Amino acid sequence: MPDSDAAPSKQQLRQQIRAARRGLGRYHQRLASRRLCARLALSPEMKRAQHIGIYWPMDGEIDPRPLLQRFPNKRFYLPVLPRAARNTMTFLHWPGARLRYRNRYGIPEPVAGRSEQRTPAQLDLVLMPLVAFDPKGARLGMGGGYYDRSFAFKRINPGKGPQLVGIAHQLQCVAELPVESWDIPLVLVATDERLYRCR
């Protein structure tokens, strides 16, 4: 990685990669999603998991939702943001639940109280969106810290709870990211071009 004077800040990196991701056309997005889901479907992590956290794509994120058609017997859950800043996310079963109005970031969420709910520790696998990643499993998110707070227990007990899998376009891969003490490492990153096994 270049020296710190030349390296872009996290905010600059977020801006650059988000712009590149948003610049992908519809055809490229659909093709990337199909390739990602086909590759991820063959992974042992996906085959073993029964309760899977997924996300609703926004801002050019690669779309993992075709996995629901590939695995009709698995249960998928969308995250619901906490009301208080320090709280963790909950995950609600979807598509069984009706989606409510969009949250403060414009992302649809399931209606609480009308669907099976799971805590982060009760899932088998979580497919996590990201802005950038490196081949060692470091992840740069949007900056809200929701995933890091929700899975902070894995720093103390890495074997507890779900396996965390980053989902991204290949263009989101960078050579190296700085790692903070609160960052939760990924076991796998899946892109439209390859799988990166991080441990």
Side-chain angles (χ1 to χ4, degrees):
M1 190 173 188
D3 61 64
S4 57
D5 293 333
S9 69
K10 284 186 174 182
Q11 191 55 35
Q12 289 171 326
L13 192 58
R14 283 190 182 101
Q15 290 172 352
Q16 291 168 7
I17 294 183
R18 288 177 67 191
R21 193 174 65 182
R22 285 193 300 265
L24 298 173
R26 287 186 182 179
Y27 173 77
H28 185 104
Q29 283 281 9
R30 287 195 299 271
L31 182 61
S33 175
R34 285 199 300 271
R35 288 177 173 169
L36 164 84
C37 292
R39 185 167 282 110
L40 192 55
L42 298 175
S43 71
E45 291 83 0
M46 193 72 200
K47 289 179 178 179
R48 286 193 301 261
Q50 288 301 313
H51 298 275
I52 301 164
I54 199 168
Y55 63 89
W56 191 279
M58 60 167 287
D59 192 45
E61 292 169 341
I62 197 165
D63 189 352
R65 293 174 298 175
L67 288 167
L68 276 74
Q69 284 73 49
R70 283 181 174 264
F71 295 101
N73 296 324
K74 296 182 185 290
R75 296 180 73 79
F76 291 86
Y77 302 78
L78 282 174
V80 175
L81 296 185
R83 295 191 181 276
R86 301 301 300 171
N87 291 347
T88 61
M89 297 185 295
T90 56
F91 289 79
L92 294 180
H93 178 237
W94 177 77
R98 179 171 57 86
L99 294 181
R100 70 169 190 174
Y101 62 88
R102 295 173 183 264
N103 65 24
R104 57 188 169 275
Y105 298 106
I107 307 169
E109 291 182 351
V111 177
R114 298 190 180 191
S115 179
E116 178 187 349
Q117 179 174 308
R118 291 208 162 219
T119 67
Q122 292 175 318
L123 297 169
D124 301 323
L125 184 73
V126 177
L127 308 181
M128 299 171 61
L130 52 83
V131 176
F133 72 95
D134 70 25
K136 294 180 182 177
R139 170 186 176 270
L140 178 65
M142 291 288 285
Y146 295 108
Y147 282 94
D148 287 326
R149 284 194 299 276
S150 297
F151 296 101
F153 62 87
K154 292 184 72 64
R155 285 199 303 271
I156 301 168
N157 188 350
K160 182 181 178 183
Q163 292 186 295
L164 305 180
V165 176
I167 305 295
H169 293 283
Q170 185 62 39
L171 63 80
Q172 294 172 249
C173 183
V174 299
E176 187 177 5
L177 285 172
V179 178
E180 308 291 352
S181 62
W182 56 83
D183 289 339
I184 309 299
L186 304 170
V187 298
L188 180 72
V189 179
T191 78
D192 49 320
E193 293 185 12
R194 60 173 290 189
L195 299 181
Y196 293 83
R197 298 209 168 270
C198 308
R199 293 185 181 189

